[in-house]
Amino acid sequence: VSTQSTGWTALKEKRDAYVKRLNGIYNNNLAKDNITYIQGDARFTGERTVEVNGEQYEGEHVLIAVGGAPSLPDIPGAELCDTSDQFFEWDTLPSKCLVIGAGYIAVEIAGILHNLGVDSTLVARRSAILRSFDADISKNLMSEMSDAGQNVQYNTTPKSITKEEDGTFTFHGHKEGEGDIELRGFEKVLFAVGRHPLTSKLGLEKAGINVDGRGNIMVDEYQNTTAERVYAVGDVCGKALLTPVAIAAGRHLSHRLFNEEKERKLNYENIPTVVFSHPPIGTVGLTQAEAEAQYGADNIKIYQSKFTNMYYSMTTRKPKTYMKLICVLPEERIVGLHVLGLGADEMLQGFSVAVVAGATKKQFDATVAIHPTSAEEFVTMNWGLSV
């Protein structure tokens, strides 16, 4: 048994125990608050009426928060593969694994496997990963992944997956500029190519609840669906698919409905996001492309910095930290803040407050730095000189 697999087994056992403990805490909290918990599949049978296990339930208000699930592509052999849902069900680590996708889940899982010593390959359909993020963040992450020895196949479209007689999997795809290719010998293949809302079996049409072409429930800015006093929050709405976003939207909705805060709603702008890649990414606000589209390229100023974190001063490999501020002229209000590097996940929350509050570059410059930290670079960046 490999040391990697032994470590994975211990990690999985502790992770499973932690999740079980959390589930118990939540169940206890529900009981303490006198909330009735009914386990089963629910579907609407009429306006604000649902059926669960053959019983009918009617509410003055109904909230839908059923979330989503990983999607598999419509190609031969996809059913043989795993998704992120199965990742922590693996009892042992594969010696060789293929991850298909270019979003944050694919990047995170590929990074975990690589750093655990698995011979892993990431396949991306386009020439870049994390394409919804700022282009410089994507570019610098790709460079860091390459320097770390991660194998990434860009511009590669999956066509099929086959299982060989020895139990391994073969990837059949098309690589731009090279034609059809095969990648062989994988013990596991994992797709991370997007998610879909779990709405198809809810009987939404019985309650007059409209969905878009992908099955996402259509809501307004107050989380109202098209049915009176029926609401939806979270991944089921198809917007900002992050757990803290669903929690925040639910809290705002609760205050609006039950605390007479009639205008309370979640602002979906400037939502901080972290990708637990290697190294991690933190981002809040607009990308440079979004800022240029919204304000015009002549009306924004970019500040950026790239350096080696002091933590790596005595190591052989020296991963870089990259930081970027996107400011709108003339006051240089910061509308985008992006960081790639050690500690990005922890430093982002505080800087997100500043961006939400409308902080300017001048206010950042007026803040005393904390030394030695990476975060100090945001308040000393270029000492007022744009790049």
Side-chain angles (χ1 to χ4, degrees):
V1 179
S2 69
T3 55
Q4 290 96 335
S5 290
T6 302
W8 173 260
T9 300
L11 173 65
K12 181 181 183 301
E13 289 175 352
K14 290 181 179 180
R15 180 263 182 189
D16 291 347
Y18 184 77
V19 172
K20 184 177 180 180
R21 175 175 168 269
L22 279 182
N23 289 338
I25 291 172
Y26 283 120
N27 285 335
N28 288 337
N29 287 341
L30 291 175
K32 290 177 182 177
D33 291 334
N34 295 317
I35 296 173
T36 302
Y37 175 64
I38 303 166
Q39 187 169 355
D41 295 327
R43 62 180 294 110
F44 283 92
T45 57
E47 294 183 4
R48 296 187 301 282
T49 303
V50 298
E51 180 182 305
V52 187
N53 302 329
E55 296 289 331
Q56 299 280 331
Y57 300 91
E58 184 175 359
E60 182 180 350
H61 301 279
V62 177
L63 172 63
I64 306 170
V66 297
S71 301
L72 285 171
D74 186 17
I75 62 170
E79 72 281 357
L80 303 172
C81 306
D82 289 338
T83 67
S84 57
D85 277 2
Q86 287 82 48
F87 180 59
F88 276 107
E89 294 178 5
W90 295 353
D91 293 322
T92 58
L93 278 179
S95 60
K96 188 175 182 180
C97 181
L98 179 67
V99 179
I100 303 171
Y104 72 92
I105 294 177
V107 169
E108 288 178 346
I109 291 178
I112 290 171
L113 292 171
H114 176 76
N115 281 272
L116 286 173
V118 175
D119 180 2
S120 59
T121 299
L122 177 65
V123 166
R125 292 181 60 188
R126 305 290 178 84
S127 60
I129 55 176
L130 300 180
R131 290 184 296 111
S132 63
F133 287 72
D134 188 86
D136 285 320
I137 288 291
S138 174
K139 180 180 69 175
N140 280 279
L141 176 61
M142 290 161 61
S143 176
E144 289 298 325
M145 291 170 66
S146 176
D147 290 346
Q150 282 193 251
N151 181 16
V152 184
Q153 296 286 335
Y154 296 104
N155 297 309
T156 302
T157 302
K159 296 175 67 176
S160 66
I161 306 292
T162 55
K163 189 172 185 178
E164 309 301 332
E165 291 183 359
D166 63 358
T168 63
F169 296 96
T170 298
F171 169 90
H172 307 269
H174 183 86
K175 189 175 181 69
E176 186 177 318
E178 296 183 20
D180 292 342
I181 64 168
E182 289 184 353
L183 304 174
R184 295 180 169 273
F186 298 102
E187 291 183 18
K188 292 281 189 182
V189 177
L190 187 148
F191 275 102
V193 293
R195 298 174 64 83
H196 60 274
L198 295 172
T199 56
S200 62
K201 298 180 180 180
L202 294 182
L204 299 178
E205 67 283 354
K206 298 283 184 66
I209 300 167
N210 293 345
V211 298
D212 64 16
R214 301 188 63 183
N216 298 307
I217 295 177
M218 300 173 67
V219 295
D220 64 13
E221 59 186 336
Y222 293 97
Q223 311 299 148
N224 298 311
T225 71
T226 51
E228 186 178 2
R229 298 203 302 278
V230 179
Y231 321 95
V233 300
D235 289 11
V236 76
C237 302
K239 183 178 182 180
L241 310 185
L242 299 166
T243 299
V245 174
I247 293 172
R251 285 182 173 178
H252 283 287
L253 178 63
S254 296
H255 280 264
R256 182 170 71 85
L257 296 180
F258 306 115
N259 203 40
E260 298 184 357
E261 299 177 51
K262 302 302 182 184
E263 298 302 316
R264 186 87 176 251
K265 62 182 178 180
L266 176 63
N267 183 354
Y268 280 85
E269 295 181 358
N270 294 324
I271 292 175
T273 301
V274 164
V275 179
F276 293 99
S277 49
H278 293 74
I281 291 168
T283 178
V284 61
L286 302 177
T287 66
Q288 182 173 342
E290 290 169 341
E292 290 177 350
Q294 184 170 334
Y295 297 103
D298 294 337
N299 295 316
I300 66 170
K301 181 179 283 189
I302 306 298
Y303 296 86
Q304 54 190 334
S305 179
K306 191 173 184 178
F307 58 94
T308 299
N309 189 298
M310 192 177 293
Y311 178 87
Y312 299 112
S313 60
M314 288 181 260
T315 62
T316 302
R317 183 169 173 268
K318 301 183 184 300
K320 297 291 191 294
T321 293
Y322 172 77
M323 294 178 167
K324 184 174 187 178
L325 291 175
I326 301 168
C327 306
V328 174
L329 300 173
E331 69 275 16
E332 292 196 1
R333 178 170 58 89
I334 299 169
V335 296
L337 183 148
H338 310 274
V339 52
L340 165 75
L342 184 67
D345 45 345
E346 289 292 345
M347 74 175 76
L348 182 69
Q349 189 72 75
F351 283 115
S352 298
V353 176
V355 173
V356 171
T360 64
K361 179 66 165 61
K362 184 177 180 180
Q363 290 171 322
F364 269 42
D365 292 341
T367 302
V368 176
I370 302 171
H371 183 76
T373 66
S374 292
E376 68 179 301
E377 190 73 12
F378 272 131
V379 299
T380 61
M381 189 177 290
N382 308 125
W383 293 102
L385 300 176
S386 63
V387 177

